[in-house]
Amino acid sequence: MQRTKLDPLDLVGTHVDGKYQIDAMIDQTNHSIVYRATHLIWKRHVAIKVFRPASPVEAEERDAMIARFVREGALLTELSETCSAICQARDIGSLTTPAGAWMPYLVLEWLDGESLDVLLAQERESGAPARTLQEVLRLLDPIADALGCAHGRGVVHCDVKPGNIILLRTGARQSKLFDFGIAKVVGDGPSRSAILDHGFTPGFAAPEQFDSSYGETGPWTDVFALALLVVEMVSGQEALQGREVVTLGQASCDRHRRPTPRALGIHVGDEVERVLSRALAVDPGRRFADVRPFWNELTSAASLPAKGTTTPFVLLSARPGPVALLVAQPARSPRARGRGHGRAGRKWLPVALVSAMSLAIALIPTHHRAAPRRAAGQQAARASVLAGSLAVDGPTVPERLP
Ligand SMILES: Nc1ncnc2c1ncn2[C@@H]1O[C@H](COP(=O)(O)OP(=O)(O)O)[C@@H](O)[C@H]1O
Ligand SMILES: [Mg+2]
């Protein structure tokens, strides 16, 4: 993987808490920086994810932030103990950068491998052969398992995408899911509830992430993203077409064109198409309630003989990076109330918990290794669906709206 050498916090070469030596910066976004480090006693690699609060954290606010951070870290630890496909959290703490900034950090198991988005890009460049639906399901099976574990414990991810999946270099190239949203908990500052702020990636986002009037987010939101990932990998096309947030939002919410394999010209069996259509329904209440039933139905549908074959695997291109949402306390809309699956009023734990968004979206212009985006052009033309609720990506858009 291409590693950037820039280190905005100047931590490379320093020791953290007397236990870890920071070796290299791996990646950064506006809200966090991931380093590779070495445990000084065990001589094992770990990943250290340092969270950059949106604004300097006053000393008296730190305890509250750390307490919340510890709760989230404990939850992640517990989750990863129950499912080997979830990246383990190993330690937690805070550090002061050479410039004097206080920041919390999380120590994670070091995942030695390639993130799926990088792998897909490499495959495209090398003209790798096609992936069948069965191959895609095999590759994503651990991820479905990870999400199933999380959903079983009331935790949602809400940012399922290739960039949050790593294929380990060792063994059977098992895939692992990471980035369970603690960044969003820290990034919102100490004065606001964790559940008011979260992030998502427009290219893999469900309608309710773009617009709260579609309902609450929950496990069904992860179902949608996982289904999009399947469709993209068997089709070699971006399932949600568009370059800008507005266009992607329209594609996600368009009742007349769902991003199923057949809509993208890919021949799959009736059952596969039906299962994916349901997983990609606009209304959250029409989707599978969580990933387990979705995956069970999809894997059995895929074992049925399909007429024809899938098209050659081409590749996913990089998508716009995570979006930081600022949610005014979401007064739940009448539409959201009483929606199916007994979801109304159900509380999901605040790891990447998404309530709703109706005021604004600002794009974090961040991901360090973001590949060129597709040509604009489709952007504002059909903004009617989401008019007024989406801010278009661009250098003048603030990272977070006040
Ligand atoms: N445990 C880990 N081991 C190795 N690399 C990691 C690990 N966690 C994150 N990374 C790398 O850092 C990048 C950003 O991490 P991520 O947790 O997704 O941050 P963000 O919340 O900013 O999206 C990932 O794409 C991956 O390349
Ligand atoms: Mg991420």
Side-chain angles (χ1 to χ4, degrees), residues 8-10 96-101:
L9 302 183
D10 274 336
T96 302
T97 66

Side-chain angles (χ1 to χ4, degrees), residues 98-256:
W102 178 91
M103 293 180 190
Y105 68 84
L106 190 64
V107 180
L108 301 158
E109 74 170 304
W110 175 250
L111 300 175
D112 184 20
E114 295 291 359
S115 78
L116 185 57
D117 57 345
V118 173
L119 184 79
L120 295 175
Q122 287 171 347
E123 288 179 351
R124 175 173 58 183
E125 277 162 27
S126 66
R131 266 196 179 86
T132 63
L133 176 61
Q134 281 72 16
E135 287 170 332
V136 169
L137 295 185
R138 232 183 345 265
L139 194 148
L140 294 179
D141 199 55
I143 305 307
D145 192 38
L147 289 169
C149 286
H151 294 170
R153 287 170 179 260
V155 175
V156 286
H157 190 287
C158 276
D159 197 16
V160 176
K161 61 175 180 177
N164 283 335
I165 293 169
I166 281 185
L167 268 82
L168 299 183
R169 224 177 288 285
T170 51
R173 304 272 290 151
Q174 198 209 342
S175 45
K176 285 219 182 197
L177 181 65
F178 58 96
D179 197 7
F180 264 85
I182 289 181
K184 293 88 189 181
V185 175
V186 174
D188 63 351
S191 59
R192 294 166 42 213
S193 159
I195 65 168
L196 296 184
D197 198 277
H198 53 87
F200 70 79
T201 300
F204 289 90
E208 63 272 20
Q209 290 177 288
F210 287 101
D211 185 340
S212 64
S213 70
Y214 287 100
E216 293 182 49
T217 54
W220 45 91
T221 309
D222 291 340
V223 167
F224 190 97
L226 187 60
L228 279 184
L229 188 50
V230 170
V231 173
E232 293 210 0
M233 290 180 71
V234 295
S235 70
Q237 301 167 51
E238 291 160 332
L240 292 185
Q241 305 270 318
R243 179 175 175 270
E244 303 295 348
V245 178
V246 169
T247 326
L248 291 165
Q250 290 165 346
S252 178
C253 303
D254 187 345
R255 293 183 188 279
H256 304 294

